[in-house]
Amino acid sequence: MENLVICGGRRLSGEIDIQGAKNSALPILAATVLIKGESVIHNCPDLSDIDAAIKILRHLGCKVKKEKNTLTVDSREISCYNIPDALMREMRSSIVFLGSVLGRTGMAVMSSPGGCDIGLRPIDLHLSSLRTLGVRVEECHGTLICKREKQLAGGVVSLSFPSVGATENIMLACALSRGRTVILNAAREPEIKDLADFLNSCGCNVEIGSHGTVVISGVKELHGCEHSVIPDRIASLTFMSAVASSGGDVTLNKTDSSSFMSVIPIFEQMGCEIANRSNRLRIRMNKRPKSVMDIRTMPYPGFPTDAQAPVTAALSVAQGTSVLVENIFENRFKHIPELQRMGARIKIEGKVAIIDGTDRLYGARVFSPDLRGGAALVVAGLCAQGETVVEQICHIDRGYECIEKSFSQLGADIKRIIV
Ligand code: UD1
């Protein structure tokens, strides 16, 4: 088991390169299953979730080569359509393989993902959309069996909520099809556009409309391509949260601030100075942050739920009271009791967190409850007085490339220890 040990209270300064987006890389890796050829994916973050995706690809018969941040996937031969339970359980997002395995082989058998650390994560929208498109879906004792008799012919799917995963699964299931599929109320996250760009580079025709419409004109066969994954907007927002609460002067390189425009004003309200130039963003903070009233997590382009926990950590040392509403997931406040152990004054009322800023957090032994909750504890530990030990950091490793290395590079006192 590994822990992070942080001696808080240092200002952060310097430059850092932002990793590729986990939430783009995973569906793109799933998409490689559709391709009768070789895909070269650059800027793929080195994360345990990516390793879990590689295991699934190899199980399906793909040959995968990993060289630093470039993955080469040869999917000429696919040998099966089932994903064993153990591989599905390694990563909740493995459900995104449903669309691609089905699209490539006509059949997909895998376990239902069930609940997870941030609450129940149903896949009813994924399944009802596939049914609408003519896929036979059976659920039997926790196993999903999806089958299409012939190539899908397209159709119109209207999502009752713009689910990211459901949008991706429909795109993947329909990339190899005979017809035109229209998704209404599709997710608009930048990772959806990245998946569309990848599929288009492979010969598909996916158009992203302006009001949450995605149109997929399926093709008979897709060819390999080279693609570079977009920068991780949540990693950028995590580093920005750390600067907001610890103070400092940090430049994020290889980022794309256009993918988190709606969040920049929140950091400005906290008192951060932000200078934004093409793919670089400089954030400076020289004082205690100010509170922000009314932050609501929403589907893109609204405030991302994945940034809620790190921003909560930053606001816990703000001057004044902040109010944050979590609208996307039902159980995404598990980091709050841990922040309270560090002295944060936060009350939870249903999906609302009321953060009464304190001028100081204190180091404590805390437990990383999930990926972004773990990142929040690192943000808190960096600005806290004394030593913080973050346990269960396997969650953090799912989404951040060596988080301790990144923060050490910025002058923080943080190390990983094996216990
Ligand atoms: C993706 C991201 C995750 C992010 C989330 C919301 C990946 C790998 N993960 O997750 O980091 O927090 O988007 O931006 O890209 N829902 C249903 N039925 C469904 C599908 C979803 O009720 O069939 C609900 C979920 O329970 C949740 C909400 O819709 O409350 C959002 O889920 P969704 O957009 O699907 O998120 P994911 O794709 O799971």
Side-chain angles (χ1 to χ4, degrees), residues 22-23 26-27 92-93 118 120-127 161-166 168 189 233 305-306 328-330 332 372:
K22 168 180 89 78
N23 288 355
L26 292 173
R92 138 89 205 184
S93 343
I118 57 173
L120 203 65
R121 292 179 85 165
I123 52 163
D124 54 314
L125 298 174
H126 302 231
L127 302 185
F161 179 88
S163 154
V164 174
E168 291 165 348
E189 271 67 3
R233 59 199 169 100
T305 171
D306 288 351
I328 307 293
F329 288 106
E330 49 166 22
R332 219 170 188 183
R372 305 302 169 186

PDB file of all heavy atoms in Angstrom, residues 22-23 26-27 92-93 118 120-127 161-166 168 189 233 305-306 328-330 332 372, ligand 1:
ATOM      1  N   LYS A  22      -7.658  11.788 -19.299  1.00  0.00           N
ATOM      2  CA  LYS A  22      -8.081  10.400 -19.035  1.00  0.00           C
ATOM      3  C   LYS A  22      -9.441  10.124 -19.696  1.00  0.00           C
ATOM      4  O   LYS A  22      -9.628   9.100 -20.339  1.00  0.00           O
ATOM      5  CB  LYS A  22      -8.196  10.188 -17.523  1.00  0.00           C
ATOM      6  CG  LYS A  22      -8.899   8.919 -17.138  1.00  0.00           C
ATOM      7  CD  LYS A  22      -8.994   8.741 -15.648  1.00  0.00           C
ATOM      8  CE  LYS A  22     -10.224   9.345 -15.010  1.00  0.00           C
ATOM      9  NZ  LYS A  22     -11.458   8.572 -15.160  1.00  0.00           N
ATOM     10  N   ASN A  23     -10.370  11.068 -19.531  1.00  0.00           N
ATOM     11  CA  ASN A  23     -11.727  10.807 -20.009  1.00  0.00           C
ATOM     12  C   ASN A  23     -11.864  10.873 -21.534  1.00  0.00           C
ATOM     13  O   ASN A  23     -12.921  10.567 -22.072  1.00  0.00           O
ATOM     14  CB  ASN A  23     -12.712  11.776 -19.343  1.00  0.00           C
ATOM     15  CG  ASN A  23     -12.917  11.436 -17.878  1.00  0.00           C
ATOM     16  OD1 ASN A  23     -12.401  10.416 -17.390  1.00  0.00           O
ATOM     17  ND2 ASN A  23     -13.653  12.282 -17.165  1.00  0.00           N
ATOM     18  N   LEU A  26      -9.740   7.103 -22.600  1.00  0.00           N
ATOM     19  CA  LEU A  26     -10.439   5.821 -22.396  1.00  0.00           C
ATOM     20  C   LEU A  26     -11.424   5.499 -23.532  1.00  0.00           C
ATOM     21  O   LEU A  26     -11.348   4.415 -24.108  1.00  0.00           O
ATOM     22  CB  LEU A  26     -11.130   5.795 -21.027  1.00  0.00           C
ATOM     23  CG  LEU A  26     -10.157   5.772 -19.834  1.00  0.00           C
ATOM     24  CD1 LEU A  26     -10.911   5.911 -18.517  1.00  0.00           C
ATOM     25  CD2 LEU A  26      -9.327   4.493 -19.825  1.00  0.00           C
ATOM     26  N   PRO A  27     -12.342   6.413 -23.884  1.00  0.00           N
ATOM     27  CA  PRO A  27     -13.228   6.066 -25.008  1.00  0.00           C
ATOM     28  C   PRO A  27     -12.478   5.918 -26.337  1.00  0.00           C
ATOM     29  O   PRO A  27     -12.879   5.123 -27.188  1.00  0.00           O
ATOM     30  CB  PRO A  27     -14.233   7.214 -25.059  1.00  0.00           C
ATOM     31  CG  PRO A  27     -13.691   8.289 -24.202  1.00  0.00           C
ATOM     32  CD  PRO A  27     -12.762   7.646 -23.218  1.00  0.00           C
ATOM     33  N   ARG A  92     -14.663   1.478 -13.697  1.00  0.00           N
ATOM     34  CA  ARG A  92     -16.078   1.669 -13.984  1.00  0.00           C
ATOM     35  C   ARG A  92     -16.285   2.057 -15.466  1.00  0.00           C
ATOM     36  O   ARG A  92     -17.224   1.626 -16.114  1.00  0.00           O
ATOM     37  CB  ARG A  92     -16.636   2.718 -13.014  1.00  0.00           C
ATOM     38  CG  ARG A  92     -17.565   3.728 -13.589  1.00  0.00           C
ATOM     39  CD  ARG A  92     -19.026   3.290 -13.566  1.00  0.00           C
ATOM     40  NE  ARG A  92     -19.734   3.987 -14.613  1.00  0.00           N
ATOM     41  CZ  ARG A  92     -21.023   3.913 -14.845  1.00  0.00           C
ATOM     42  NH1 ARG A  92     -21.766   3.157 -14.106  1.00  0.00           N
ATOM     43  NH2 ARG A  92     -21.564   4.584 -15.818  1.00  0.00           N
ATOM     44  N   SER A  93     -15.361   2.833 -16.010  1.00  0.00           N
ATOM     45  CA  SER A  93     -15.557   3.314 -17.382  1.00  0.00           C
ATOM     46  C   SER A  93     -15.402   2.212 -18.420  1.00  0.00           C
ATOM     47  O   SER A  93     -15.541   2.470 -19.607  1.00  0.00           O
ATOM     48  CB  SER A  93     -14.577   4.433 -17.715  1.00  0.00           C
ATOM     49  OG  SER A  93     -14.019   4.966 -16.575  1.00  0.00           O
ATOM     50  N   ILE A 118     -18.714   6.907  -6.108  1.00  0.00           N
ATOM     51  CA  ILE A 118     -19.427   8.187  -6.045  1.00  0.00           C
ATOM     52  C   ILE A 118     -20.935   7.988  -6.208  1.00  0.00           C
ATOM     53  O   ILE A 118     -21.664   8.890  -6.563  1.00  0.00           O
ATOM     54  CB  ILE A 118     -18.892   9.239  -7.040  1.00  0.00           C
ATOM     55  CG1 ILE A 118     -18.931   8.736  -8.478  1.00  0.00           C
ATOM     56  CG2 ILE A 118     -17.505   9.688  -6.664  1.00  0.00           C
ATOM     57  CD1 ILE A 118     -18.563   9.802  -9.495  1.00  0.00           C
ATOM     58  N   LEU A 120     -24.508   5.390  -7.060  1.00  0.00           N
ATOM     59  CA  LEU A 120     -25.069   4.504  -8.064  1.00  0.00           C
ATOM     60  C   LEU A 120     -24.788   5.090  -9.446  1.00  0.00           C
ATOM     61  O   LEU A 120     -25.009   6.277  -9.663  1.00  0.00           O
ATOM     62  CB  LEU A 120     -26.576   4.427  -7.810  1.00  0.00           C
ATOM     63  CG  LEU A 120     -27.287   3.206  -8.331  1.00  0.00           C
ATOM     64  CD1 LEU A 120     -26.791   1.965  -7.598  1.00  0.00           C
ATOM     65  CD2 LEU A 120     -28.778   3.376  -8.096  1.00  0.00           C
ATOM     66  N   ARG A 121     -24.270   4.302 -10.342  1.00  0.00           N
ATOM     67  CA  ARG A 121     -24.046   4.845 -11.681  1.00  0.00           C
ATOM     68  C   ARG A 121     -24.780   3.970 -12.686  1.00  0.00           C
ATOM     69  O   ARG A 121     -24.212   3.062 -13.284  1.00  0.00           O
ATOM     70  CB  ARG A 121     -22.545   4.937 -11.968  1.00  0.00           C
ATOM     71  CG  ARG A 121     -21.907   5.980 -11.078  1.00  0.00           C
ATOM     72  CD  ARG A 121     -20.439   6.094 -11.293  1.00  0.00           C
ATOM     73  NE  ARG A 121     -20.085   6.974 -12.379  1.00  0.00           N
ATOM     74  CZ  ARG A 121     -18.861   7.450 -12.568  1.00  0.00           C
ATOM     75  NH1 ARG A 121     -17.897   7.138 -11.756  1.00  0.00           N
ATOM     76  NH2 ARG A 121     -18.601   8.247 -13.573  1.00  0.00           N
ATOM     77  N   PRO A 122     -26.065   4.250 -12.865  1.00  0.00           N
ATOM     78  CA  PRO A 122     -26.868   3.402 -13.745  1.00  0.00           C
ATOM     79  C   PRO A 122     -26.445   3.535 -15.204  1.00  0.00           C
ATOM     80  O   PRO A 122     -25.790   4.508 -15.586  1.00  0.00           O
ATOM     81  CB  PRO A 122     -28.285   3.942 -13.548  1.00  0.00           C
ATOM     82  CG  PRO A 122     -28.129   5.306 -12.985  1.00  0.00           C
ATOM     83  CD  PRO A 122     -26.816   5.380 -12.314  1.00  0.00           C
ATOM     84  N   ILE A 123     -26.809   2.539 -16.001  1.00  0.00           N
ATOM     85  CA  ILE A 123     -26.500   2.599 -17.444  1.00  0.00           C
ATOM     86  C   ILE A 123     -27.782   2.449 -18.258  1.00  0.00           C
ATOM     87  O   ILE A 123     -27.762   2.037 -19.403  1.00  0.00           O
ATOM     88  CB  ILE A 123     -25.456   1.539 -17.863  1.00  0.00           C
ATOM     89  CG1 ILE A 123     -25.874   0.140 -17.393  1.00  0.00           C
ATOM     90  CG2 ILE A 123     -24.069   1.882 -17.356  1.00  0.00           C
ATOM     91  CD1 ILE A 123     -25.119  -0.974 -18.110  1.00  0.00           C
ATOM     92  N   ASP A 124     -28.915   2.809 -17.609  1.00  0.00           N
ATOM     93  CA  ASP A 124     -30.195   2.660 -18.303  1.00  0.00           C
ATOM     94  C   ASP A 124     -30.237   3.439 -19.612  1.00  0.00           C
ATOM     95  O   ASP A 124     -30.808   2.976 -20.605  1.00  0.00           O
ATOM     96  CB  ASP A 124     -31.347   3.086 -17.370  1.00  0.00           C
ATOM     97  CG  ASP A 124     -31.145   4.489 -16.820  1.00  0.00           C
ATOM     98  OD1 ASP A 124     -30.021   4.799 -16.381  1.00  0.00           O
ATOM     99  OD2 ASP A 124     -32.098   5.287 -16.848  1.00  0.00           O
ATOM    100  N   LEU A 125     -29.602   4.613 -19.646  1.00  0.00           N
ATOM    101  CA  LEU A 125     -29.646   5.421 -20.882  1.00  0.00           C
ATOM    102  C   LEU A 125     -28.821   4.764 -21.989  1.00  0.00           C
ATOM    103  O   LEU A 125     -29.195   4.812 -23.170  1.00  0.00           O
ATOM    104  CB  LEU A 125     -29.124   6.842 -20.622  1.00  0.00           C
ATOM    105  CG  LEU A 125     -29.931   7.655 -19.608  1.00  0.00           C
ATOM    106  CD1 LEU A 125     -29.255   8.990 -19.318  1.00  0.00           C
ATOM    107  CD2 LEU A 125     -31.344   7.899 -20.146  1.00  0.00           C
ATOM    108  N   HIS A 126     -27.697   4.139 -21.604  1.00  0.00           N
ATOM    109  CA  HIS A 126     -26.884   3.426 -22.594  1.00  0.00           C
ATOM    110  C   HIS A 126     -27.750   2.320 -23.226  1.00  0.00           C
ATOM    111  O   HIS A 126     -27.812   2.174 -24.448  1.00  0.00           O
ATOM    112  CB  HIS A 126     -25.682   2.725 -21.941  1.00  0.00           C
ATOM    113  CG  HIS A 126     -24.751   3.617 -21.172  1.00  0.00           C
ATOM    114  ND1 HIS A 126     -23.390   3.616 -21.378  1.00  0.00           N
ATOM    115  CD2 HIS A 126     -24.961   4.519 -20.188  1.00  0.00           C
ATOM    116  CE1 HIS A 126     -22.814   4.470 -20.541  1.00  0.00           C
ATOM    117  NE2 HIS A 126     -23.749   5.036 -19.812  1.00  0.00           N
ATOM    118  N   LEU A 127     -28.411   1.558 -22.336  1.00  0.00           N
ATOM    119  CA  LEU A 127     -29.130   0.374 -22.815  1.00  0.00           C
ATOM    120  C   LEU A 127     -30.389   0.737 -23.587  1.00  0.00           C
ATOM    121  O   LEU A 127     -30.654   0.165 -24.652  1.00  0.00           O
ATOM    122  CB  LEU A 127     -29.464  -0.555 -21.638  1.00  0.00           C
ATOM    123  CG  LEU A 127     -28.251  -1.033 -20.825  1.00  0.00           C
ATOM    124  CD1 LEU A 127     -28.667  -2.042 -19.767  1.00  0.00           C
ATOM    125  CD2 LEU A 127     -27.171  -1.641 -21.720  1.00  0.00           C
ATOM    126  N   PHE A 161     -31.065  12.799 -20.380  1.00  0.00           N
ATOM    127  CA  PHE A 161     -29.998  13.546 -19.700  1.00  0.00           C
ATOM    128  C   PHE A 161     -28.754  13.394 -20.579  1.00  0.00           C
ATOM    129  O   PHE A 161     -28.511  12.311 -21.119  1.00  0.00           O
ATOM    130  CB  PHE A 161     -29.752  12.947 -18.298  1.00  0.00           C
ATOM    131  CG  PHE A 161     -28.643  13.646 -17.561  1.00  0.00           C
ATOM    132  CD1 PHE A 161     -28.910  14.769 -16.780  1.00  0.00           C
ATOM    133  CD2 PHE A 161     -27.318  13.207 -17.664  1.00  0.00           C
ATOM    134  CE1 PHE A 161     -27.883  15.431 -16.116  1.00  0.00           C
ATOM    135  CE2 PHE A 161     -26.294  13.871 -17.003  1.00  0.00           C
ATOM    136  CZ  PHE A 161     -26.583  14.985 -16.229  1.00  0.00           C
ATOM    137  N   PRO A 162     -27.970  14.468 -20.733  1.00  0.00           N
ATOM    138  CA  PRO A 162     -26.818  14.359 -21.657  1.00  0.00           C
ATOM    139  C   PRO A 162     -25.664  13.556 -21.052  1.00  0.00           C
ATOM    140  O   PRO A 162     -24.614  14.095 -20.715  1.00  0.00           O
ATOM    141  CB  PRO A 162     -26.423  15.824 -21.882  1.00  0.00           C
ATOM    142  CG  PRO A 162     -26.917  16.556 -20.682  1.00  0.00           C
ATOM    143  CD  PRO A 162     -28.132  15.829 -20.188  1.00  0.00           C
ATOM    144  N   SER A 163     -25.876  12.257 -20.916  1.00  0.00           N
ATOM    145  CA  SER A 163     -24.867  11.381 -20.306  1.00  0.00           C
ATOM    146  C   SER A 163     -23.646  11.261 -21.214  1.00  0.00           C
ATOM    147  O   SER A 163     -23.768  10.974 -22.417  1.00  0.00           O
ATOM    148  CB  SER A 163     -25.487   9.993 -20.083  1.00  0.00           C
ATOM    149  OG  SER A 163     -24.501   9.000 -20.064  1.00  0.00           O
ATOM    150  N   VAL A 164     -22.486  11.454 -20.615  1.00  0.00           N
ATOM    151  CA  VAL A 164     -21.230  11.370 -21.368  1.00  0.00           C
ATOM    152  C   VAL A 164     -21.030   9.939 -21.874  1.00  0.00           C
ATOM    153  O   VAL A 164     -20.819   9.693 -23.064  1.00  0.00           O
ATOM    154  CB  VAL A 164     -20.040  11.798 -20.464  1.00  0.00           C
ATOM    155  CG1 VAL A 164     -18.714  11.586 -21.176  1.00  0.00           C
ATOM    156  CG2 VAL A 164     -20.200  13.242 -20.015  1.00  0.00           C
ATOM    157  N   GLY A 165     -21.138   8.984 -20.934  1.00  0.00           N
ATOM    158  CA  GLY A 165     -20.880   7.588 -21.302  1.00  0.00           C
ATOM    159  C   GLY A 165     -21.883   7.071 -22.320  1.00  0.00           C
ATOM    160  O   GLY A 165     -21.516   6.351 -23.256  1.00  0.00           O
ATOM    161  N   ALA A 166     -23.172   7.433 -22.160  1.00  0.00           N
ATOM    162  CA  ALA A 166     -24.183   6.946 -23.107  1.00  0.00           C
ATOM    163  C   ALA A 166     -23.920   7.526 -24.498  1.00  0.00           C
ATOM    164  O   ALA A 166     -23.986   6.818 -25.512  1.00  0.00           O
ATOM    165  CB  ALA A 166     -25.583   7.324 -22.620  1.00  0.00           C
ATOM    166  N   GLU A 168     -21.068   8.408 -25.729  1.00  0.00           N
ATOM    167  CA  GLU A 168     -19.899   7.716 -26.295  1.00  0.00           C
ATOM    168  C   GLU A 168     -20.267   6.320 -26.781  1.00  0.00           C
ATOM    169  O   GLU A 168     -19.871   5.900 -27.872  1.00  0.00           O
ATOM    170  CB  GLU A 168     -18.794   7.635 -25.232  1.00  0.00           C
ATOM    171  CG  GLU A 168     -18.204   9.002 -24.941  1.00  0.00           C
ATOM    172  CD  GLU A 168     -17.362   9.079 -23.676  1.00  0.00           C
ATOM    173  OE1 GLU A 168     -17.384   8.135 -22.855  1.00  0.00           O
ATOM    174  OE2 GLU A 168     -16.683  10.101 -23.481  1.00  0.00           O
ATOM    175  N   GLU A 189     -19.373  17.549 -23.725  1.00  0.00           N
ATOM    176  CA  GLU A 189     -18.045  17.654 -23.129  1.00  0.00           C
ATOM    177  C   GLU A 189     -16.971  17.624 -24.230  1.00  0.00           C
ATOM    178  O   GLU A 189     -17.158  16.969 -25.271  1.00  0.00           O
ATOM    179  CB  GLU A 189     -17.828  16.472 -22.161  1.00  0.00           C
ATOM    180  CG  GLU A 189     -18.263  16.695 -20.724  1.00  0.00           C
ATOM    181  CD  GLU A 189     -19.769  16.839 -20.523  1.00  0.00           C
ATOM    182  OE1 GLU A 189     -20.546  16.708 -21.482  1.00  0.00           O
ATOM    183  OE2 GLU A 189     -20.176  17.097 -19.379  1.00  0.00           O
ATOM    184  N   ARG A 233      -8.604  18.706 -18.714  1.00  0.00           N
ATOM    185  CA  ARG A 233      -9.087  19.965 -18.103  1.00  0.00           C
ATOM    186  C   ARG A 233      -9.216  19.811 -16.595  1.00  0.00           C
ATOM    187  O   ARG A 233      -9.034  20.769 -15.841  1.00  0.00           O
ATOM    188  CB  ARG A 233     -10.401  20.423 -18.760  1.00  0.00           C
ATOM    189  CG  ARG A 233     -11.515  19.454 -18.667  1.00  0.00           C
ATOM    190  CD  ARG A 233     -12.624  19.717 -19.685  1.00  0.00           C
ATOM    191  NE  ARG A 233     -13.532  18.585 -19.702  1.00  0.00           N
ATOM    192  CZ  ARG A 233     -14.700  18.551 -19.080  1.00  0.00           C
ATOM    193  NH1 ARG A 233     -15.138  19.613 -18.443  1.00  0.00           N
ATOM    194  NH2 ARG A 233     -15.460  17.474 -19.128  1.00  0.00           N
ATOM    195  N   THR A 305     -18.500  18.525 -12.565  1.00  0.00           N
ATOM    196  CA  THR A 305     -18.577  17.803 -11.288  1.00  0.00           C
ATOM    197  C   THR A 305     -17.202  17.287 -10.855  1.00  0.00           C
ATOM    198  O   THR A 305     -16.908  17.209  -9.670  1.00  0.00           O
ATOM    199  CB  THR A 305     -19.608  16.648 -11.373  1.00  0.00           C
ATOM    200  OG1 THR A 305     -19.494  15.859 -10.196  1.00  0.00           O
ATOM    201  CG2 THR A 305     -19.386  15.743 -12.562  1.00  0.00           C
ATOM    202  N   ASP A 306     -16.365  16.945 -11.832  1.00  0.00           N
ATOM    203  CA  ASP A 306     -15.044  16.408 -11.470  1.00  0.00           C
ATOM    204  C   ASP A 306     -14.149  17.451 -10.794  1.00  0.00           C
ATOM    205  O   ASP A 306     -13.166  17.101 -10.150  1.00  0.00           O
ATOM    206  CB  ASP A 306     -14.329  15.859 -12.720  1.00  0.00           C
ATOM    207  CG  ASP A 306     -14.957  14.557 -13.197  1.00  0.00           C
ATOM    208  OD1 ASP A 306     -15.806  14.006 -12.488  1.00  0.00           O
ATOM    209  OD2 ASP A 306     -14.591  14.088 -14.293  1.00  0.00           O
ATOM    210  N   ILE A 328     -24.791  16.548 -10.338  1.00  0.00           N
ATOM    211  CA  ILE A 328     -24.600  15.437 -11.275  1.00  0.00           C
ATOM    212  C   ILE A 328     -24.616  14.075 -10.586  1.00  0.00           C
ATOM    213  O   ILE A 328     -25.303  13.164 -11.030  1.00  0.00           O
ATOM    214  CB  ILE A 328     -23.290  15.603 -12.087  1.00  0.00           C
ATOM    215  CG1 ILE A 328     -23.234  16.975 -12.763  1.00  0.00           C
ATOM    216  CG2 ILE A 328     -23.135  14.489 -13.121  1.00  0.00           C
ATOM    217  CD1 ILE A 328     -24.251  17.212 -13.852  1.00  0.00           C
ATOM    218  N   PHE A 329     -23.845  13.941  -9.516  1.00  0.00           N
ATOM    219  CA  PHE A 329     -23.789  12.642  -8.828  1.00  0.00           C
ATOM    220  C   PHE A 329     -24.385  12.760  -7.435  1.00  0.00           C
ATOM    221  O   PHE A 329     -24.264  13.778  -6.764  1.00  0.00           O
ATOM    222  CB  PHE A 329     -22.356  12.109  -8.778  1.00  0.00           C
ATOM    223  CG  PHE A 329     -21.861  11.631 -10.114  1.00  0.00           C
ATOM    224  CD1 PHE A 329     -20.933  12.367 -10.836  1.00  0.00           C
ATOM    225  CD2 PHE A 329     -22.351  10.460 -10.670  1.00  0.00           C
ATOM    226  CE1 PHE A 329     -20.497  11.934 -12.076  1.00  0.00           C
ATOM    227  CE2 PHE A 329     -21.921  10.014 -11.909  1.00  0.00           C
ATOM    228  CZ  PHE A 329     -20.992  10.762 -12.616  1.00  0.00           C
ATOM    229  N   GLU A 330     -24.984  11.666  -6.984  1.00  0.00           N
ATOM    230  CA  GLU A 330     -25.712  11.685  -5.709  1.00  0.00           C
ATOM    231  C   GLU A 330     -24.804  11.581  -4.489  1.00  0.00           C
ATOM    232  O   GLU A 330     -25.192  11.952  -3.401  1.00  0.00           O
ATOM    233  CB  GLU A 330     -26.698  10.517  -5.694  1.00  0.00           C
ATOM    234  CG  GLU A 330     -26.003   9.241  -6.091  1.00  0.00           C
ATOM    235  CD  GLU A 330     -26.784   7.973  -5.791  1.00  0.00           C
ATOM    236  OE1 GLU A 330     -28.011   8.071  -5.661  1.00  0.00           O
ATOM    237  OE2 GLU A 330     -26.159   6.925  -5.696  1.00  0.00           O
ATOM    238  N   ARG A 332     -21.269  12.572  -3.992  1.00  0.00           N
ATOM    239  CA  ARG A 332     -19.947  13.051  -4.338  1.00  0.00           C
ATOM    240  C   ARG A 332     -19.382  13.993  -3.285  1.00  0.00           C
ATOM    241  O   ARG A 332     -18.632  14.909  -3.611  1.00  0.00           O
ATOM    242  CB  ARG A 332     -19.971  13.708  -5.716  1.00  0.00           C
ATOM    243  CG  ARG A 332     -18.704  13.336  -6.426  1.00  0.00           C
ATOM    244  CD  ARG A 332     -18.609  13.669  -7.842  1.00  0.00           C
ATOM    245  NE  ARG A 332     -17.388  13.039  -8.363  1.00  0.00           N
ATOM    246  CZ  ARG A 332     -16.949  13.154  -9.564  1.00  0.00           C
ATOM    247  NH1 ARG A 332     -17.619  13.871 -10.433  1.00  0.00           N
ATOM    248  NH2 ARG A 332     -15.834  12.575  -9.952  1.00  0.00           N
ATOM    249  N   ARG A 372     -11.393  12.069  -7.450  1.00  0.00           N
ATOM    250  CA  ARG A 372     -11.331  13.544  -7.299  1.00  0.00           C
ATOM    251  C   ARG A 372     -11.343  13.940  -5.825  1.00  0.00           C
ATOM    252  O   ARG A 372     -10.769  14.969  -5.456  1.00  0.00           O
ATOM    253  CB  ARG A 372     -12.481  14.220  -8.050  1.00  0.00           C
ATOM    254  CG  ARG A 372     -12.561  13.850  -9.531  1.00  0.00           C
ATOM    255  CD  ARG A 372     -11.308  14.165 -10.313  1.00  0.00           C
ATOM    256  NE  ARG A 372     -11.359  13.560 -11.652  1.00  0.00           N
ATOM    257  CZ  ARG A 372     -10.351  13.565 -12.511  1.00  0.00           C
ATOM    258  NH1 ARG A 372      -9.186  14.125 -12.210  1.00  0.00           N
ATOM    259  NH2 ARG A 372     -10.481  12.992 -13.691  1.00  0.00           N
TER     260      ARG A 372
HETATM  261  C1  UD1 B   1     -18.170  10.769 -17.201  1.00  0.00           C
HETATM  262  C2  UD1 B   1     -16.756  10.950 -16.681  1.00  0.00           C
HETATM  263  C3  UD1 B   1     -16.777  11.371 -15.236  1.00  0.00           C
HETATM  264  C4  UD1 B   1     -17.642  12.614 -15.067  1.00  0.00           C
HETATM  265  C5  UD1 B   1     -19.025  12.408 -15.672  1.00  0.00           C
HETATM  266  C6  UD1 B   1     -19.872  13.665 -15.661  1.00  0.00           C
HETATM  267  C7  UD1 B   1     -15.478   9.367 -17.982  1.00  0.00           C
HETATM  268  C8  UD1 B   1     -14.648   8.137 -17.990  1.00  0.00           C
HETATM  269  N1  UD1 B   1     -16.060   9.692 -16.814  1.00  0.00           N
HETATM  270  O1  UD1 B   1     -18.767   9.721 -16.424  1.00  0.00           O
HETATM  271  O2  UD1 B   1     -15.438  11.645 -14.830  1.00  0.00           O
HETATM  272  O3  UD1 B   1     -17.776  12.877 -13.686  1.00  0.00           O
HETATM  273  O4  UD1 B   1     -18.895  11.989 -17.040  1.00  0.00           O
HETATM  274  O5  UD1 B   1     -19.238  14.692 -16.325  1.00  0.00           O
HETATM  275  O6  UD1 B   1     -15.585  10.068 -18.974  1.00  0.00           O
HETATM  276  N2  UD1 B   1     -26.865   8.478 -15.633  1.00  0.00           N
HETATM  277  C9  UD1 B   1     -28.037   7.771 -15.590  1.00  0.00           C
HETATM  278  N3  UD1 B   1     -28.205   6.757 -16.494  1.00  0.00           N
HETATM  279  C10 UD1 B   1     -27.254   6.441 -17.420  1.00  0.00           C
HETATM  280  C11 UD1 B   1     -26.061   7.189 -17.456  1.00  0.00           C
HETATM  281  C12 UD1 B   1     -25.893   8.199 -16.540  1.00  0.00           C
HETATM  282  O7  UD1 B   1     -28.905   8.019 -14.768  1.00  0.00           O
HETATM  283  O8  UD1 B   1     -27.481   5.513 -18.217  1.00  0.00           O
HETATM  284  C13 UD1 B   1     -26.645   9.565 -14.652  1.00  0.00           C
HETATM  285  C14 UD1 B   1     -25.487   9.214 -13.698  1.00  0.00           C
HETATM  286  O9  UD1 B   1     -25.910   8.426 -12.626  1.00  0.00           O
HETATM  287  C15 UD1 B   1     -25.026  10.564 -13.260  1.00  0.00           C
HETATM  288  C16 UD1 B   1     -25.253  11.431 -14.505  1.00  0.00           C
HETATM  289  O10 UD1 B   1     -26.207  10.724 -15.315  1.00  0.00           O
HETATM  290  O11 UD1 B   1     -25.820  11.027 -12.219  1.00  0.00           O
HETATM  291  C17 UD1 B   1     -23.996  11.716 -15.292  1.00  0.00           C
HETATM  292  O12 UD1 B   1     -23.461  10.526 -15.769  1.00  0.00           O
HETATM  293  P1  UD1 B   1     -22.604  10.434 -17.107  1.00  0.00           P
HETATM  294  O13 UD1 B   1     -22.595  11.738 -17.815  1.00  0.00           O
HETATM  295  O14 UD1 B   1     -23.067   9.236 -17.847  1.00  0.00           O
HETATM  296  O15 UD1 B   1     -21.163  10.175 -16.518  1.00  0.00           O
HETATM  297  P2  UD1 B   1     -20.132   9.046 -16.908  1.00  0.00           P
HETATM  298  O16 UD1 B   1     -20.093   8.855 -18.372  1.00  0.00           O
HETATM  299  O17 UD1 B   1     -20.347   7.871 -16.039  1.00  0.00           O
END
